Amino acid sequence: MGMKRSLQCGGTLLGFLANILTILSSAANYWIRFPKGHSGLWQDCIGGICTNVPCESVLAVTQACMVLAAAFGIVGLVLGLRIVYHDGDTRGQTTSAIFLLCGLLLLIALISYTAKNAWKSDVFFSWSYFSAWLAFPLYVIAAFCFLLADMILQSTDAISGFPVCL
């Protein structure tokens, strides 16, 4: 069962890293840079003075998806830790589905934010935006780690009753 345990630990570690990146990118105000300042999901900073961003529907979708991805990521991390530390616990498919949902929410948030700002000529995406993009594949890989570990567990249970002579 070494491979199963390695996949579960790896999925938990990747989920943890993805959560850190998601929370960090959501909280920071460096999603885009422009000549006079920078902006994030929650504040615009121009000339060292930060103000709240005006309410826009595309930005509200991005904010909601990022917060939901962070919240579901924490739930997935708790389930992943529970799987790692309780050997009889078989919630691998649930954890995998939650991490895939986090990836989908991140993808929706990032595509909507990109569509809103990609057409501006004086705007450049910054490190908060790119760290959110980095969290996306980490969530997806974490989901597949838990899915593969669950498949190994199911296949081991399925063949355990057969007499094998090697």
Side-chain angles (χ1 to χ4, degrees):
M1 289 296 154
M3 180 61 81
K4 176 188 75 119
R5 176 66 76 198
S6 297
L7 285 169
Q8 290 169 341
C9 290
T12 303
L13 180 64
L14 288 171
F16 177 74
L17 291 174
N19 279 337
I20 295 291
L21 289 171
T22 302
I23 292 169
L24 181 68
S25 68
S26 297
N29 290 329
Y30 288 92
W31 278 61
I32 56 173
R33 296 184 291 118
F34 42 87
K36 295 182 181 180
H38 55 87
S39 179
L41 295 180
W42 314 103
Q43 291 184 334
D44 285 330
C45 298
I46 300 171
I49 300 170
C50 296
T51 59
N52 291 337
V53 294
C55 186
E56 299 174 12
S57 59
V58 174
L59 194 57
V61 167
T62 304
Q63 293 168 340
C65 287
M66 290 299 291
V67 169
L68 285 172
F72 280 120
I74 291 170
V75 171
L77 183 62
V78 168
L79 286 175
L81 288 170
R82 202 167 162 200
I83 288 171
V84 169
Y85 289 113
H86 295 95
D87 197 30
D89 202 357
T90 58
R91 289 183 173 83
Q93 291 178 347
T94 306
T95 307
S96 179
I98 287 175
F99 281 142
L100 282 175
L101 177 64
C102 291
L104 179 66
L105 287 167
L106 269 179
L107 190 62
I108 292 169
L110 291 166
I111 287 174
S112 65
Y113 195 82
T114 304
K116 175 185 176 280
N117 292 304
W119 311 111
K120 298 176 182 174
S121 62
D122 62 341
V123 170
F124 303 99
F125 294 107
S126 192
W127 64 268
S128 294
Y129 174 80
F130 293 118
S131 65
W133 272 112
L134 184 60
F136 170 68
L138 293 179
Y139 275 132
V140 173
I141 295 170
F144 280 112
C145 284
F146 280 105
L147 193 62
L148 287 173
D150 195 56
M151 290 172 61
I152 289 171
L153 181 67
Q154 288 178 1
S155 65
T156 304
D157 290 344
I159 63 171
S160 65
F162 293 109
V164 178
C165 298
L166 294 177

